[in-house]
Amino acid sequence: KETKEQLIIDAGQKHFGTTVCKSCGMIYTASNPEDEMQHVQHHQRFLEGIKYVSWKKERVVAEFWDGKIVLVLPRDPSYALRKVEDVQELVDHELGFQKVVPKCPNKTKTFLFISDEKRVVGCLIAEPIKQAFRVLSEPSGSESSGSKECSRAWQCSNVPEPAICGISRIWVFRLKRRKRIARRLVDTVRNCFMFGCFLSTNEIAFSDPTPDGKLFATKYCNT
Ligand code: ACO
Ligand code: ZN
Protein backbone atom coordinates (compact mmCIF):
# COMPACT_ATOMS: atom_id res chain seq x y z
CA LYS A 1 0.00 0.00 0.00
CA GLU A 2 2.82 2.34 0.92
CA THR A 3 4.59 1.86 -2.40
CA LYS A 4 1.44 2.63 -4.32
CA GLU A 5 0.98 5.95 -2.55
CA GLN A 6 4.60 6.83 -3.17
CA LEU A 7 4.15 6.16 -6.86
CA ILE A 8 1.21 8.52 -7.08
CA ILE A 9 3.15 11.29 -5.41
CA ASP A 10 6.11 10.85 -7.74
CA ALA A 11 3.95 10.88 -10.83
CA GLY A 12 2.42 14.19 -9.83
CA GLN A 13 5.70 16.03 -10.21
CA LYS A 14 7.08 16.88 -13.57
CA HIS A 15 10.71 16.31 -12.72
CA PHE A 16 11.02 14.37 -9.53
CA GLY A 17 13.12 16.22 -7.00
CA THR A 18 13.72 19.32 -9.06
CA THR A 19 12.58 22.81 -8.23
CA VAL A 20 12.26 25.88 -10.41
CA CYS A 21 13.09 29.08 -8.56
CA LYS A 22 10.18 31.46 -9.07
CA SER A 23 12.40 34.54 -9.21
CA CYS A 24 15.60 33.55 -11.03
CA GLY A 25 14.21 30.61 -13.01
CA MET A 26 17.04 28.22 -12.19
CA ILE A 27 16.15 24.54 -12.18
CA TYR A 28 17.90 22.68 -9.38
CA THR A 29 17.58 19.81 -6.94
CA ALA A 30 16.60 21.28 -3.60
CA SER A 31 17.61 18.13 -1.73
CA ASN A 32 21.16 18.32 -3.03
CA PRO A 33 23.32 20.68 -0.92
CA GLU A 34 25.77 21.29 -3.73
CA ASP A 35 22.97 22.18 -6.12
CA GLU A 36 21.36 24.39 -3.53
CA MET A 37 24.65 26.20 -3.01
CA GLN A 38 25.00 26.76 -6.74
CA HIS A 39 21.49 28.14 -6.80
CA VAL A 40 22.18 30.64 -4.00
CA GLN A 41 25.23 31.88 -5.87
CA HIS A 42 23.49 32.09 -9.23
CA HIS A 43 20.35 33.68 -7.78
CA GLN A 44 22.08 36.78 -6.41
CA ARG A 45 24.33 37.34 -9.38
CA PHE A 46 21.55 36.82 -11.90
CA LEU A 47 18.99 39.10 -10.28
CA GLU A 48 21.63 41.78 -9.83
CA GLY A 49 22.62 41.37 -13.49
CA ILE A 50 19.13 41.84 -14.89
CA LYS A 51 18.16 44.65 -12.51
CA TYR A 52 17.46 47.85 -14.44
CA VAL A 53 17.79 51.19 -12.75
CA SER A 54 16.24 53.81 -15.02
CA TRP A 55 18.86 55.69 -16.97
CA LYS A 56 18.97 59.44 -17.25
CA LYS A 57 19.27 59.16 -21.00
CA GLU A 58 17.67 56.10 -22.53
CA ARG A 59 16.75 55.47 -26.14
CA VAL A 60 13.29 53.93 -26.02
CA VAL A 61 12.55 52.47 -29.47
CA ALA A 62 9.31 50.63 -28.68
CA GLU A 63 6.73 50.63 -25.92
CA PHE A 64 4.26 47.93 -24.92
CA TRP A 65 1.72 47.28 -22.24
CA ASP A 66 4.16 45.01 -20.40
CA GLY A 67 7.44 46.80 -21.00
CA LYS A 68 9.65 48.70 -23.40
CA ILE A 69 12.64 48.18 -25.70
CA VAL A 70 15.74 50.29 -25.15
CA LEU A 71 18.52 50.54 -27.74
CA VAL A 72 22.14 50.84 -26.59
CA LEU A 73 24.82 52.05 -29.00
CA PRO A 74 28.62 51.77 -28.70
CA ARG A 75 29.17 55.41 -27.73
CA ASP A 76 26.54 55.48 -24.99
CA PRO A 77 27.41 56.37 -21.38
CA SER A 78 29.45 53.79 -19.51
CA TYR A 79 26.58 52.83 -17.17
CA ALA A 80 24.57 51.67 -20.18
CA LEU A 81 27.49 49.80 -21.72
CA ARG A 82 28.25 48.15 -18.40
CA LYS A 83 24.68 46.84 -18.13
CA VAL A 84 24.88 45.45 -21.65
CA GLU A 85 28.13 43.71 -20.76
CA ASP A 86 26.65 42.21 -17.58
CA VAL A 87 23.58 40.92 -19.41
CA GLN A 88 25.66 39.51 -22.24
CA GLU A 89 27.80 37.67 -19.74
CA LEU A 90 24.74 36.04 -18.16
CA VAL A 91 23.40 35.11 -21.59
CA ASP A 92 26.69 33.63 -22.79
CA HIS A 93 27.00 31.69 -19.56
CA GLU A 94 23.51 30.26 -19.99
CA LEU A 95 24.15 29.35 -23.62
CA GLY A 96 27.60 27.97 -22.89
CA PHE A 97 29.09 30.30 -25.50
CA GLN A 98 32.63 31.54 -25.32
CA LYS A 99 32.88 35.26 -24.91
CA VAL A 100 32.98 36.43 -28.49
CA VAL A 101 34.68 39.61 -29.50
CA PRO A 102 32.49 41.33 -32.09
CA LYS A 103 34.09 41.97 -35.47
CA CYS A 104 32.99 45.59 -35.49
CA PRO A 105 32.34 46.60 -31.88
CA ASN A 106 31.60 50.17 -32.93
CA LYS A 107 28.69 48.97 -35.09
CA THR A 108 26.99 46.66 -32.62
CA LYS A 109 23.44 47.51 -31.62
CA THR A 110 22.01 46.03 -28.46
CA PHE A 111 18.28 45.94 -27.81
CA LEU A 112 17.10 45.33 -24.26
CA PHE A 113 13.51 44.46 -23.37
CA ILE A 114 12.79 46.06 -19.99
CA SER A 115 9.83 44.66 -18.09
CA ASP A 116 7.49 46.67 -15.93
CA GLU A 117 9.24 45.19 -12.89
CA LYS A 118 12.37 47.02 -14.09
CA ARG A 119 14.26 43.96 -15.20
CA VAL A 120 16.11 43.21 -18.39
CA VAL A 121 14.06 40.21 -19.56
CA GLY A 122 15.18 40.12 -23.18
CA CYS A 123 18.34 40.93 -25.10
CA LEU A 124 19.17 41.02 -28.79
CA ILE A 125 22.60 41.83 -30.20
CA ALA A 126 22.70 42.85 -33.85
CA GLU A 127 25.56 43.74 -36.16
CA PRO A 128 25.87 44.65 -39.83
CA ILE A 129 26.74 41.77 -42.15
CA LYS A 130 27.11 41.47 -45.90
CA GLN A 131 26.14 37.88 -46.51
CA ALA A 132 24.64 34.83 -44.87
CA PHE A 133 24.30 31.16 -45.63
CA ARG A 134 20.82 29.72 -45.61
CA VAL A 135 20.15 26.74 -43.35
CA LEU A 136 19.12 23.92 -45.65
CA SER A 137 17.72 21.14 -43.54
CA GLU A 138 18.15 19.44 -40.24
CA PRO A 139 20.76 16.72 -40.34
CA SER A 140 18.96 13.38 -40.35
CA GLY A 141 18.89 11.53 -37.07
CA SER A 142 19.43 14.59 -34.94
CA GLU A 143 16.25 13.94 -32.98
CA SER A 144 17.11 10.35 -32.20
CA SER A 145 20.71 10.99 -31.22
CA GLY A 146 19.62 13.76 -28.88
CA SER A 147 23.15 15.00 -28.38
CA LYS A 148 23.69 18.73 -28.12
CA GLU A 149 26.78 18.76 -30.35
CA CYS A 150 24.87 17.05 -33.10
CA SER A 151 21.78 19.19 -33.01
CA ARG A 152 23.75 22.37 -33.56
CA ALA A 153 25.41 21.22 -36.78
CA TRP A 154 22.73 22.36 -39.20
CA GLN A 155 23.56 21.98 -42.82
CA CYS A 156 24.14 25.25 -44.57
CA SER A 157 24.15 26.21 -48.20
CA ASN A 158 27.56 27.18 -49.55
CA VAL A 159 26.05 29.86 -51.74
CA PRO A 160 26.21 33.18 -49.93
CA GLU A 161 23.13 35.38 -50.06
CA PRO A 162 23.16 39.09 -49.41
CA ALA A 163 21.99 40.09 -45.95
CA ILE A 164 22.13 43.24 -43.88
CA CYS A 165 21.61 42.48 -40.24
CA GLY A 166 23.12 39.60 -38.29
CA ILE A 167 21.56 38.60 -34.99
CA SER A 168 24.44 37.25 -32.97
CA ARG A 169 22.45 36.78 -29.75
CA ILE A 170 18.82 36.59 -28.82
CA TRP A 171 17.77 35.65 -25.32
CA VAL A 172 14.65 35.90 -23.16
CA PHE A 173 14.57 35.34 -19.39
CA ARG A 174 13.42 31.77 -18.77
CA LEU A 175 10.34 32.80 -16.77
CA LYS A 176 9.19 35.22 -19.50
CA ARG A 177 9.40 32.97 -22.54
CA ARG A 178 6.54 32.40 -24.98
CA LYS A 179 5.13 35.89 -24.41
CA ARG A 180 6.29 37.15 -27.78
CA ILE A 181 9.21 39.08 -26.33
CA ALA A 182 11.70 37.64 -28.85
CA ARG A 183 9.27 38.36 -31.68
CA ARG A 184 8.89 41.98 -30.58
CA LEU A 185 12.67 42.35 -30.29
CA VAL A 186 13.20 41.13 -33.86
CA ASP A 187 10.35 43.30 -35.19
CA THR A 188 12.00 46.29 -33.53
CA VAL A 189 15.43 45.47 -34.98
CA ARG A 190 13.96 45.22 -38.48
CA ASN A 191 12.45 48.63 -37.97
CA CYS A 192 15.45 50.37 -36.37
CA PHE A 193 18.56 48.75 -37.80
CA MET A 194 18.69 50.83 -40.94
CA PHE A 195 17.26 54.28 -40.88
CA GLY A 196 14.13 54.68 -42.97
CA CYS A 197 13.47 51.09 -43.97
CA PHE A 198 11.86 47.97 -42.60
CA LEU A 199 14.13 44.98 -43.27
CA SER A 200 12.57 41.87 -44.77
CA THR A 201 13.13 38.50 -43.09
CA ASN A 202 15.58 37.69 -45.93
CA GLU A 203 17.75 40.60 -44.90
CA ILE A 204 18.24 39.37 -41.35
CA ALA A 205 20.17 36.27 -40.32
CA PHE A 206 20.55 34.38 -37.06
CA SER A 207 24.11 33.27 -36.44
CA ASP A 208 24.81 29.79 -35.05
CA PRO A 209 21.32 29.22 -33.66
CA THR A 210 20.67 26.90 -30.73
CA PRO A 211 17.74 24.45 -30.98
CA ASP A 212 15.52 27.02 -29.20
CA GLY A 213 16.79 29.74 -31.50
CA LYS A 214 16.09 27.68 -34.57
CA LEU A 215 12.53 26.86 -33.51
CA PHE A 216 11.89 30.52 -32.91
CA ALA A 217 13.59 31.70 -36.13
CA THR A 218 11.74 29.17 -38.28
CA LYS A 219 8.42 30.22 -36.83
CA TYR A 220 9.24 33.92 -36.99
CA CYS A 221 10.38 33.88 -40.61
CA ASN A 222 7.32 31.98 -41.80
CA THR A 223 4.68 34.21 -40.29
N1 ACO B 1 9.86 25.73 -28.95
C1 ACO B 1 8.98 25.78 -29.97
N2 ACO B 1 8.57 26.95 -30.56
C2 ACO B 1 9.09 28.08 -30.08
C3 ACO B 1 10.03 28.11 -29.00
C4 ACO B 1 10.40 26.86 -28.44
N3 ACO B 1 11.28 26.78 -27.43
N4 ACO B 1 10.34 29.38 -28.74
C5 ACO B 1 9.66 30.14 -29.62
N5 ACO B 1 8.90 29.36 -30.45
C6 ACO B 1 8.02 29.80 -31.56
C7 ACO B 1 6.59 29.67 -31.16
O1 ACO B 1 5.84 29.37 -32.30
C8 ACO B 1 6.26 31.06 -30.66
O2 ACO B 1 4.91 31.42 -30.80
P1 ACO B 1 3.76 30.83 -29.78
O3 ACO B 1 4.30 31.00 -28.39
O4 ACO B 1 2.58 31.69 -30.08
O5 ACO B 1 3.60 29.40 -30.16
C9 ACO B 1 7.07 31.95 -31.58
O6 ACO B 1 8.26 31.19 -31.84
C10 ACO B 1 7.40 33.29 -30.94
O7 ACO B 1 8.07 33.06 -29.71
P2 ACO B 1 8.38 34.20 -28.65
O8 ACO B 1 7.41 34.13 -27.52
O9 ACO B 1 8.53 35.51 -29.33
O10 ACO B 1 9.82 33.68 -28.15
P3 ACO B 1 10.44 33.86 -26.69
O11 ACO B 1 10.23 35.25 -26.22
O12 ACO B 1 9.98 32.76 -25.82
O13 ACO B 1 12.03 33.67 -26.98
C11 ACO B 1 14.05 32.44 -27.41
C12 ACO B 1 12.57 32.67 -27.80
C13 ACO B 1 14.82 33.75 -27.49
C14 ACO B 1 14.70 31.44 -28.38
C15 ACO B 1 14.07 31.89 -25.95
O14 ACO B 1 13.53 30.60 -25.94
C16 ACO B 1 15.45 31.82 -25.32
O15 ACO B 1 15.95 32.82 -24.80
N6 ACO B 1 16.08 30.62 -25.31
C17 ACO B 1 17.38 30.42 -24.67
C18 ACO B 1 18.45 31.20 -25.38
C19 ACO B 1 18.64 30.77 -26.82
O16 ACO B 1 18.76 29.61 -27.13
N7 ACO B 1 18.65 31.77 -27.70
C20 ACO B 1 18.86 31.59 -29.12
C21 ACO B 1 20.32 31.54 -29.36
S1 ACO B 1 20.71 31.57 -31.08
C22 ACO B 1 21.20 33.18 -31.36
O17 ACO B 1 21.37 33.90 -30.43
C23 ACO B 1 21.45 33.63 -32.76
ZN1 ZN C 1 16.67 31.64 -7.66
Side-chain angles (χ1 to χ4, degrees), residues 21-26 28 39 42-43 47:
C21 174
K22 285 194 182 71
S23 39
C24 77
M26 181 169 161
Y28 65 101
H39 169 238
H42 172 265
H43 188 93
L47 292 179

Side-chain angles (χ1 to χ4, degrees), residues 94-95 167-172 176-183 206-210 212-213 215-216 219:
E94 186 179 320
L95 292 175
I167 295 173
S168 70
R169 289 285 186 286
I170 181 159
W171 167 89
V172 171
K176 296 282 185 186
R177 288 187 192 157
R178 304 303 285 268
K179 296 180 192 299
R180 317 213 142 201
I181 290 177
R183 179 179 285 277
F206 294 83
S207 67
D208 190 21
T210 58
D212 264 357
L215 285 165
F216 165 73
K219 180 76 183 180

Side-chain angles (χ1 to χ4, degrees), residues 85-101 125 152 168-171:
E85 218 171 272
D86 287 354
V87 172
Q88 196 184 340
E89 205 179 293
L90 294 173
V91 172
D92 285 352
H93 180 76
E94 186 179 320
L95 292 175
F97 281 3
Q98 294 295 321
K99 191 182 166 80
V100 282
V101 186
I125 302 174
R152 220 185 251 185
S168 70
R169 289 285 186 286
I170 181 159
W171 167 89

Side-chain angles (χ1 to χ4, degrees), residues 19-28 35-51 90 93 119 173 175:
T19 312
V20 180
C21 174
K22 285 194 182 71
S23 39
C24 77
M26 181 169 161
I27 304 161
Y28 65 101
D35 241 34
E36 232 175 320
M37 224 347 213
Q38 264 196 335
H39 169 238
V40 171
Q41 282 169 351
H42 172 265
H43 188 93
Q44 281 295 101
R45 208 169 66 102
F46 184 83
L47 292 179
E48 189 57 41
I50 65 168
K51 189 167 91 187
L90 294 173
H93 180 76
R119 287 195 169 145
F173 176 31
L175 300 175

Side-chain angles (χ1 to χ4, degrees), residues 73-75 104-110 126-128 130 193:
L73 296 176
R75 277 182 251 289
C104 272
N106 58 337
K107 287 183 179 159
T108 305
K109 296 183 178 178
T110 306
E127 55 195 1
K130 294 207 168 68
F193 194 76

Side-chain angles (χ1 to χ4, degrees), residues 49-64:
I50 65 168
K51 189 167 91 187
Y52 180 82
V53 184
S54 279
W55 298 335
K56 232 191 293 168
K57 276 201 265 176
E58 55 175 27
R59 204 178 285 105
V60 178
V61 288
E63 276 183 288
F64 305 98

